[in-house]
Amino acid sequence: MEEVRDVKKYQTLLFDVDDTLLDFAATEDQAFRLLLQEQGVSYSEEWKRQYQQLNQGLWKAFEEGEITRDEVVNTRFTLFFEKMGKQVDGALLEQSYREYLGEGKQLLDGAMDLIVKVSNHFDLYIVTNGMSITQEKRLKSSGLYSFFKAIFVSEDTGYQKPMKEFFDYCFDRIPQFNKETALIIGDSLSADIQGGYNAGIDTCWINPLKRDNNIDVQPTYEIAKLEELLLLLGFSQEPS
């Protein structure tokens, strides 16, 4: 078994999913291409850029509590296809898109190795915004699902990261939970790092692209790749 050095003792690790463990960029690209194909529209980088800009704006509004999750997912394709002069049923297209997203199981480099190693020493949980059926399907397909004691998805909680209520919901359902020994790991400053700060727990920002911190909160830790988390958690560099 891998040796763990004497560092700050964590017990509970809360992992985000997209762009933390699973490659959402690859998943989204594949699903978007298939949806355009379904609608008889040729793929282009410009269409992808416009969709991502619109989609990110809607999810940002959701994180800030301005609109509901249903408003995000049921209107984004209506709004997007309006840009090309097509009238579509956004809710119906969302169902197709959700099926395509559910096929996305690409792991980020080092994700499986990391989870296998830390699962022997820590209690692992998923904390993610999104749709329950999609996230659970992707986690199962990727092989990660069984390593987590519970999967907390915003759709089920009635709240979303970074809202304190989302984390309160999760904490209430984690046996013998202690904020002092909990760490959230994620790529999103606005959802994961701000959310962890709001909830009163330590945070680890995964920042492979060396983006600037554009919020007023400083993460407890910042790493560029998942394997750095092993050292942060006190694992020796010796192979297991």
Side-chain angles (χ1 to χ4, degrees):
M1 182 177 291
E2 193 112 356
E3 176 189 354
V4 179
R5 294 186 284 109
D6 186 19
V7 294
K8 177 170 181 180
K9 298 294 186 181
Y10 290 107
Q11 177 64 34
T12 305
L13 302 183
L14 308 171
F15 282 91
D16 175 48
V17 174
D18 291 317
D19 294 327
T20 297
L21 296 175
L22 297 183
D23 188 342
F24 186 68
T27 296
E28 184 182 48
D29 183 70
Q30 174 181 285
F32 183 68
R33 287 172 182 268
L34 289 170
L35 190 69
L36 288 184
Q37 180 180 318
E38 175 188 301
Q39 293 299 308
V41 176
S42 298
Y43 174 85
S44 75
E45 288 297 321
E46 177 58 21
W47 284 134
K48 181 180 177 182
R49 185 194 67 78
Q50 290 195 34
Y51 168 72
Q52 288 179 324
Q53 184 178 46
L54 183 152
N55 190 49
Q56 288 166 5
L58 290 171
W59 280 113
K60 180 68 172 176
F62 169 65
E63 287 179 5
E64 294 175 354
E66 296 174 0
I67 59 176
T68 67
R69 178 192 56 79
D70 285 348
E71 287 177 292
V72 174
V73 300
N74 289 330
T75 66
R76 56 184 175 179
F77 291 116
T78 300
L79 296 172
F80 170 69
F81 280 99
E82 279 179 358
K83 293 176 178 292
M84 59 182 76
K86 287 177 67 74
Q87 299 296 317
V88 300
D89 184 331
L92 192 60
L93 262 62
E94 177 63 26
Q95 293 178 24
S96 293
Y97 184 68
R98 190 60 48 189
E99 291 179 7
Y100 297 141
L101 279 181
E103 302 304 319
K105 59 182 181 181
Q106 298 94 325
L107 288 156
L108 289 174
D109 288 344
M112 181 60 77
D113 182 60
L114 168 74
I115 295 301
V116 168
K117 288 178 179 177
V118 299
S119 66
N120 291 322
H121 302 282
F122 303 92
D123 297 328
L124 308 186
Y125 294 87
I126 289 291
V127 288
T128 179
N129 287 342
M131 304 282 283
S132 302
I133 190 170
T134 302
Q135 298 297 58
E136 290 190 7
K137 182 178 181 181
R138 294 173 65 220
L139 287 165
K140 288 176 179 176
S141 297
S142 70
L144 289 174
Y145 187 89
S146 63
F147 291 100
F148 293 91
K149 292 184 176 295
I151 312 295
F152 297 113
V153 186
S154 59
E155 181 184 21
D156 297 327
T157 68
Y159 305 100
Q160 67 274 354
K161 298 181 296 182
M163 296 173 67
K164 183 177 181 295
E165 292 88 347
F166 172 88
F167 289 94
D168 288 341
Y169 178 100
C170 300
F171 298 165
D172 287 345
R173 288 159 177 78
I174 297 176
Q176 300 174 328
F177 180 78
N178 181 355
K179 287 185 179 183
E180 296 300 316
T181 58
L183 176 70
I184 183 172
I185 302 102
D187 70 296
S188 172
L189 283 168
S190 60
D192 303 312
I193 305 309
Q194 183 69 58
Y197 176 83
N198 292 348
I201 61 174
D202 285 357
T203 59
C204 179
W205 182 30
I206 301 177
N207 185 21
L209 300 180
K210 302 295 184 182
R211 292 175 291 141
D212 291 334
N213 184 344
N214 59 3
I215 63 173
D216 293 332
V217 172
Q218 289 297 319
T220 312
Y221 312 101
E222 180 179 338
I223 60 177
K225 48 189 177 180
L226 282 172
E227 64 188 48
E228 293 177 45
L229 183 61
L230 291 172
L231 292 177
L232 185 157
L233 292 171
F235 284 76
S236 71
Q237 297 188 58
E238 299 298 321
S240 56

